[in-house]
Amino acid sequence: MAAPANFMAQDDYLVTQAELLTDLDRKTLVYLYQPLIGAVASALYGSLWAQVKQHPMFTQDRRAHTNLLATLAISLDELYDARVRLEAVGLIKTYTQFDTARHYVYEMYAPLRPEEFFADDLFSVALYDTVGEERYREISASFTVTPVRRSDMHDISKKFTDVFHVTAEVTAARNGAGSPYGHDAPG
């Protein structure tokens, strides 16, 4: 896809992240997304991911797109095509602003979790159509987890409060602020 006339190699960009990215996200990108978006878009995502700063300074952390072009050894049109592919599958959002020159902000998003990807009709059918039935089954199986649970087994795992002592002050503070772990603090 050809880049629009207002998208230039000299334009600056900044990379931010909307979500934390994990090693599972990297595996998901390679096996589930790369067949759909292509190797160049996958490499662009990896390059942008490597440039994420926790607290970016808008004017100090910007770089020219020429850096990406050189790193990836691609043309501006290839960069644009890879970027819009990442946008289309929800891996990045692109924002633009013009002050003395045009600049872009690429906001990184984690891939869908594998179970969400396979449950999504659009993504799963597109992957199936791209890789074929046999490869689709192989990929799907590589993301399948088989727990050890059987009917003759009993869960004897200890709970957090069985092992750790929590002071009343911390408990009261957590009850007021909410737990960062998605559940109520032990009481």
Side-chain angles (χ1 to χ4, degrees), residues 27 37 67 79 122 124 162:
K27 180 179 177 184
I37 62 176
N67 292 331
L79 175 66
L122 190 58
S124 61
D162 294 336

Side-chain angles (χ1 to χ4, degrees), residues 2-184:
N6 65 351
F7 183 66
M8 297 184 217
Q10 298 78 19
D11 293 340
D12 289 339
Y13 71 95
L14 176 74
V15 184
T16 65
Q17 69 185 43
E19 302 170 316
L20 295 175
L21 304 172
T22 67
D23 285 336
L24 176 61
D25 294 329
R26 201 178 301 253
K27 180 179 177 184
T28 301
L29 177 75
V30 170
Y31 290 105
L32 303 183
Y33 283 82
Q34 187 169 301
L36 303 178
I37 62 176
V40 174
S42 184
L44 174 59
Y45 187 80
S47 294
L48 292 173
W49 188 350
Q51 295 176 26
V52 167
K53 296 198 184 241
Q54 288 305 110
H55 306 287
M57 302 295 291
F58 194 71
T59 55
Q60 296 170 352
D61 292 327
R62 293 191 317 206
R63 300 174 180 184
H65 281 97
T66 53
N67 292 331
L68 277 176
L69 298 175
T71 298
L72 298 170
I74 59 175
S75 70
L76 188 63
D77 287 343
E78 290 171 306
L79 175 66
Y80 180 76
D81 182 63
R83 187 191 93 191
V84 298
R85 288 172 178 270
L86 293 173
E87 293 167 354
V89 296
L91 293 174
I92 68 169
K93 285 190 179 182
T94 303
Y95 300 92
T96 188
Q97 182 180 15
F98 191 88
D99 47 27
T100 58
R102 181 173 303 278
H103 46 267
Y104 295 83
V105 175
Y106 299 127
E107 188 173 60
M108 308 286 294
Y109 287 83
L112 293 175
R113 300 212 29 97
E115 60 273 11
E116 295 169 329
F117 185 98
F118 287 112
D120 184 288
D121 290 339
L122 190 58
F123 281 115
S124 61
V125 170
L127 180 64
Y128 182 92
D129 288 347
T130 302
V131 300
E133 182 178 355
E134 185 177 332
R135 182 68 181 133
Y136 181 87
R137 288 178 196 255
E138 289 172 3
I139 293 170
S140 178
S142 73
F143 285 99
T144 302
V145 177
T146 307
V148 183
R149 296 182 199 124
R150 294 181 6 186
S151 61
D152 62 338
M153 297 179 131
H154 304 284
D155 183 0
I156 61 167
S157 304
K158 298 293 183 195
K159 295 181 178 144
F160 186 89
T161 54
D162 294 336
V163 177
F164 300 100
H165 175 70
V166 180
T167 66
E169 294 162 2
V170 172
T171 303
R174 288 283 183 222
N175 284 339
S179 174
Y181 302 104
H183 52 75
D184 291 334

